[in-house]
Amino acid sequence: MSSEGKEEEESASPAALDRVENGEEVVSEGKEEEEEVASPTAPGRVEHGANKASSTAAGYKQAKRYINIYLKEKEFDEFDNLTETDLEGDHLKNFIENIYLWLASTQFKTHQGLWMAQSGKEKLFSQMKQVWKYKCNNRPDVIGDNEYWKELEKSFKEDCKRHRIEDP
């Protein structure tokens, strides 16, 4: 299948992705830097797939990266620094819904220079969902509400289609 006029899915390889570091976009070059891992019991911390396969850990890291880009644009603390107060009541749903709307309506270039495909955004949706579940496991009213997530995913896919651009 020719890649002309088609969008390609973004690779989950963190070594090939741009990342935000100290407020600046930085391109990783080949070898990924080792990160200091906080204690799994540290409050508010979500490990990059602690005790998970490396591809799962990379997916969680990528999801957090996109969440942090959104939070930085909106002048919030980074994801790991969000407190229970930041996410109490309807704030959690507002955060989740606004991040997904932003993800669906924002165009991202992959490291290949192509627009991220809808399938790449859908994969990010799933990865972000898992990161939110780990972060907010004390909120079963949102995190455990399967109907909420089904409706949110349906809305997200419709928003992605509405905001889709084709690579020329």
Side-chain angles (χ1 to χ4, degrees):
M1 180 190 302
S2 169
S3 64
E4 284 185 19
K6 300 287 182 190
E7 297 172 313
E8 291 192 13
E9 194 171 329
E10 182 172 27
S11 169
S13 169
L17 296 172
D18 293 336
R19 68 182 198 283
V20 176
E21 186 174 276
N22 297 326
E24 296 181 17
E25 290 278 336
V26 180
V27 177
S28 296
E29 295 181 19
K31 186 177 178 185
E32 186 177 346
E33 300 169 16
E34 288 187 28
E35 289 189 14
E36 187 176 314
V37 178
S39 160
T41 58
R45 294 287 305 198
V46 176
E47 300 310 313
H48 301 304
N51 302 321
K52 301 288 182 187
S54 62
S55 60
T56 302
Y60 293 170
K61 183 176 181 178
Q62 180 179 0
K64 283 179 57 177
R65 177 182 164 258
Y66 279 90
I67 291 171
N68 282 330
I69 291 170
Y70 171 82
L71 294 172
K72 182 180 177 192
E73 284 182 12
K74 302 301 179 188
E75 300 179 359
F76 284 101
D77 281 338
E78 287 191 353
F79 182 76
D80 285 333
N81 298 331
L82 293 175
T83 65
E84 287 186 28
T85 304
D86 294 327
L87 302 173
E88 68 186 355
D90 288 339
H91 294 304
L92 176 58
K93 279 188 176 181
N94 288 336
F95 260 113
I96 292 171
E97 291 166 8
N98 286 319
I99 287 172
Y100 284 134
L101 178 59
W102 168 82
L103 179 63
S105 62
T106 304
Q107 303 307 320
F108 301 99
K109 288 273 188 168
T110 66
H111 66 278
Q112 295 112 343
L114 302 173
W115 297 113
M116 183 186 290
Q118 180 171 340
S119 60
K121 290 184 175 188
E122 289 173 6
K123 185 175 180 179
L124 266 174
F125 177 97
S126 296
Q127 293 166 338
M128 287 180 175
K129 178 180 173 183
Q130 290 304 314
V131 170
W132 281 111
K133 283 185 173 187
Y134 286 122
K135 173 88 173 168
C136 304
N137 61 1
N138 63 338
R139 292 288 308 275
D141 58 313
V142 176
I143 300 305
D145 185 351
N146 290 331
E147 197 59 38
Y148 169 75
W149 287 102
K150 285 179 188 175
E151 288 298 315
L152 186 60
E153 185 174 15
K154 179 181 174 188
S155 174
F156 173 77
K157 287 179 179 180
E158 289 170 359
D159 287 338
C160 282
K161 287 178 186 173
R162 187 174 16 263
H163 294 285
R164 183 175 179 199
I165 337 182
E166 293 280 335
D167 250 345

